[in-house]
Amino acid sequence: MTQPFKKVHAITGMKDVLPDGSASWEQLEHTVRQWLAAYGYRNIRTPVLEHTRLFTRGIGEVTDIVEKEMYSFTDALNDEQLTMRPEFTAGIVRAAIENNILYDRPQRVYAMGPVFRHEKPQRGRYRQFHQIDVEALGFAGPDIDAELIVMLSRLWKTLGLADVRLELNSLGHAGERAAHREALVAYLEQHKAILDEEASRRMYTNPLRVLDTKNPAMQEMADNAPRLFDFLGAESLAHFDGVRKRLDDAGIGYTLNPRLVRGLDYYNLTVFEWVTDQLGAQGTICGGGRYDGLIELLGGKSAPAVGFAIGMERLLDLCQQSAGSAAAPECQVYMVHQSDEAQRVAAGLAEKLRDAGLAVIVHAGSSGFKSQFKKADASGATVAVILGADELASGKAGVKWLREQAPEGQAQQETIPQDRLVIELKQRV
Ligand code: ATP
Ligand code: MG
């Protein structure tokens, strides 16, 4: 005897997008692809699963992601340590090195899709979420850093988002960070008493991250800590200046945030985040920066690079607050019919309408006209096409406008010959 089946639920922090909600996703994806194409970015698709050590190396051992957020497991079939990607950059860099696409010419690439982090689920923070990830591989200058930021500002404008602001910082070069780090560790040692457990643990391994704390008790300490920015040399400052000039050229405002360090180990020089006040605690919708050391760190020939990632759930949340959302219609034309024979005629006509580019649903099964019209209304269709006994006998079809008023000069409901249906609806719907 079969056991009764215990209902399965989705995994905590992982969400379904249902048909009524998917239109906004598809619309955003469409807008994003057009936006990226306008700047010469091409799609790259890498696997969701990678070897764990790609991320431990690429993101850094002492980071939130690697310390506590990765979905890692042993592949029981061959004993390999694998991880569901928690971000795109490491995988894209691996693919670029492995396939040797980096060295003839630089590459502008993007990816869009799910990433996985074991975090505490809340608004704007999920365990499977989606990113739009954009990487410019092989570019060294501040021109491209600025271009990425200008590009993002265009996306916000296209999406009608006014309330997003830019925060900017420079993390300099490795040598400058080392000098700052020494000063910072000395400072943290003086303030040991107020460091929380995580900060005490990280003060020697990743002291910069200590400053990124969200612990209110440590804010003042973090505010007064030695600033990396004050350790930057002429070259780093010139790069930063190059970015800032170009943002000024484009009329893009920003706040300098010397405490902006980003969560991942691999950043240098320019780092930035776009934030909004409209999403509560999870207000960062995009983060990015330069990572000139990562390609070499992952075994490639040294090459500079810069990129960013947008959180799609947060972006959609923000878009919906700005504009509201409407479910997309299921079709443009809904066909109702009264007999088995009428259903077959309707099915044939529907194929012709689809040939003409219209989206059509033929009512499935048999039910009364009233119930069929209810379904037609609920489908969001613009018109219903009616095939009753009379229409069938006379080779005609009824056309009824469902949503708005019929276009000027046309009846709300009328009867037309079946062989005129395609031409009439193509013009009108
Ligand atoms: P946070 O400080 O909010 O944890 P992060 O620095 O970990 O963000 P990134 O690794 O920079 O985030 O990822 C880029 C973007 O992805 C973020 O700016 C955010 O919009 C989004 N994001 C990050 N984590 C999540 C999550 N758990 N759920 C939904 N979106 C997320
Ligand atoms: Mg995080």
Side-chain angles (χ1 to χ4, degrees):
M1 223 183 79
T2 52
Q3 296 289 321
F5 184 66
K6 186 162 171 278
K7 236 198 304 181
V8 180
H9 299 279
I11 295 168
T12 305
M14 304 198 179
K15 281 195 173 179
D16 299 309
V17 176
L18 300 174
D20 273 349
S22 60
S24 55
W25 281 87
E26 293 189 316
Q27 212 168 50
L28 177 63
E29 286 159 7
H30 179 71
T31 304
V32 161
R33 288 183 204 287
Q34 282 186 326
W35 161 67
L36 288 163
Y39 286 84
Y41 283 77
R42 296 184 300 163
N43 191 208
I44 182 167
R45 298 172 187 238
T46 61
V48 169
L49 268 186
E50 297 273 4
H51 291 286
T52 300
R53 58 198 187 83
L54 173 69
F55 301 116
T56 47
R57 175 80 164 183
I59 296 171
E61 301 267 3
V62 193
T63 54
D64 282 347
I65 293 180
V66 171
E67 276 185 343
K68 54 192 182 198
E69 295 174 1
M70 294 206 301
Y71 281 91
S72 298
F73 59 92
T74 308
D75 182 340
L77 297 178
N78 55 8
D79 219 31
E80 286 182 327
Q81 268 305 115
L82 306 180
T83 295
M84 313 271 289
R85 66 178 175 218
E87 53 110 46
F88 278 97
T89 310
I92 290 176
V93 166
R94 179 209 43 76
I97 297 169
E98 186 170 341
N99 297 287
N100 240 321
I101 60 169
L102 249 174
Y103 306 114
D104 319 335
R105 62 192 180 105
Q107 295 278 344
R108 290 179 168 86
V109 296
Y110 76 90
M112 202 166 7
V115 295
F116 304 84
R117 297 184 193 176
H118 196 104
E119 301 197 69
K120 189 165 156 250
Q122 54 198 287
R123 181 181 177 191
R125 198 173 287 290
Y126 311 101
R127 291 183 175 171
Q128 172 173 325
F129 63 102
H130 298 75
Q131 288 186 336
I132 300 157
D133 185 87
V134 176
E135 312 288 354
L137 306 172
F139 298 89
D143 51 346
I144 201 83
D145 305 21
E147 188 182 276
L148 287 175
I149 294 171
V150 171
M151 213 167 126
L152 283 160
S153 145
R154 177 186 291 271
L155 180 62
W156 313 147
K157 210 180 299 161
T158 308
L159 294 172
L161 306 176
D163 181 37
V164 272
R165 50 173 208 281
L166 174 62
E167 299 201 351
L168 195 64
N169 191 21
S170 173
L171 301 181
H173 290 297
E176 294 151 3
R177 278 204 301 283
H180 167 256
R181 181 197 167 104
E182 216 169 291
L184 179 58
V185 170
Y187 175 85
L188 293 173
E189 280 173 343
Q190 283 165 18
H191 292 82
K192 255 188 183 144
I194 62 157
L195 299 187
D196 60 20
E197 187 257 318
E198 189 176 69
S200 314
R201 191 162 42 77
R202 284 178 170 177
M203 68 180 280
Y204 295 108
T205 48
N206 195 348
L208 211 52
R209 284 291 282 155
V210 175
L211 301 186
D212 207 20
T213 179
K214 286 172 178 125
N215 182 348
M218 288 169 50
Q219 289 306 312
E220 201 189 320
M221 181 280 299
D223 282 336
N224 296 317
R227 294 176 169 192
L228 173 52
F229 198 81
D230 297 327
F231 286 74
L232 300 192
E235 206 183 304
S236 297
L237 287 172
H239 186 100
F240 198 46
D241 201 43
V243 177
R244 294 175 63 178
K245 279 202 186 102
R246 287 172 174 84
L247 295 183
D248 292 344
D249 290 345
I252 292 173
Y254 54 88
T255 316
L256 291 178
N257 178 358
R259 283 186 45 195
L260 180 64
V261 298
R262 309 270 310 122
L264 318 182
D265 259 5
Y266 51 60
Y267 288 104
N268 68 304
L269 291 173
T270 320
V271 289
F272 59 87
E273 286 187 351
W274 289 88
V275 289
T276 175
D277 296 324
Q278 292 183 4
L279 295 178
Q282 269 63 57
T284 306
I285 56 170
C286 172
R290 186 160 273 288
Y291 53 94
D292 296 331
L294 183 64
I295 294 170
E296 193 174 15
L297 191 72
L298 291 178
K301 202 172 92 200
S302 174
V306 53
F308 61 75
I310 300 172
M312 294 181 77
E313 281 79 1
R314 293 185 196 175
L315 182 58
L316 281 167
D317 194 350
L318 191 59
C319 289
Q320 262 145 34
Q321 281 190 35
S322 309
S325 65
E330 292 164 19
C331 62
Q332 297 163 292
V333 180
Y334 196 101
M335 306 192 75
V336 303
H337 45 78
Q338 215 176 19
S339 63
D340 204 45
E341 199 191 338
Q343 191 279 332
R344 289 167 56 195
V345 173
L349 288 170
E351 282 302 314
K352 293 198 174 109
L353 291 168
R354 291 177 189 123
D355 285 343
L358 293 165
V360 187
I361 287 180
V362 181
H363 184 82
S366 55
S367 44
F369 265 145
K370 202 170 154 204
S371 130
Q372 291 193 44
F373 271 113
K374 258 196 200 152
K375 298 250 165 56
D377 260 333
S379 74
T382 314
V383 293
V385 169
I386 306 143
L387 289 165
D390 292 348
E391 286 85 0
L392 212 59
S394 59
K396 293 188 170 162
V399 173
K400 182 178 185 220
W401 293 90
L402 294 173
R403 306 275 112 199
E404 59 276 350
Q405 292 288 197
E408 221 180 282
Q410 286 172 28
Q412 199 67 27
Q413 180 162 354
E414 63 181 313
T415 306
I416 59 174
Q418 284 172 17
D419 57 13
R420 301 246 350 125
L421 194 64
V422 171
I423 263 185
E424 294 286 337
L425 291 192
K426 207 179 152 187
Q427 277 170 9
R428 297 188 202 177
V429 176

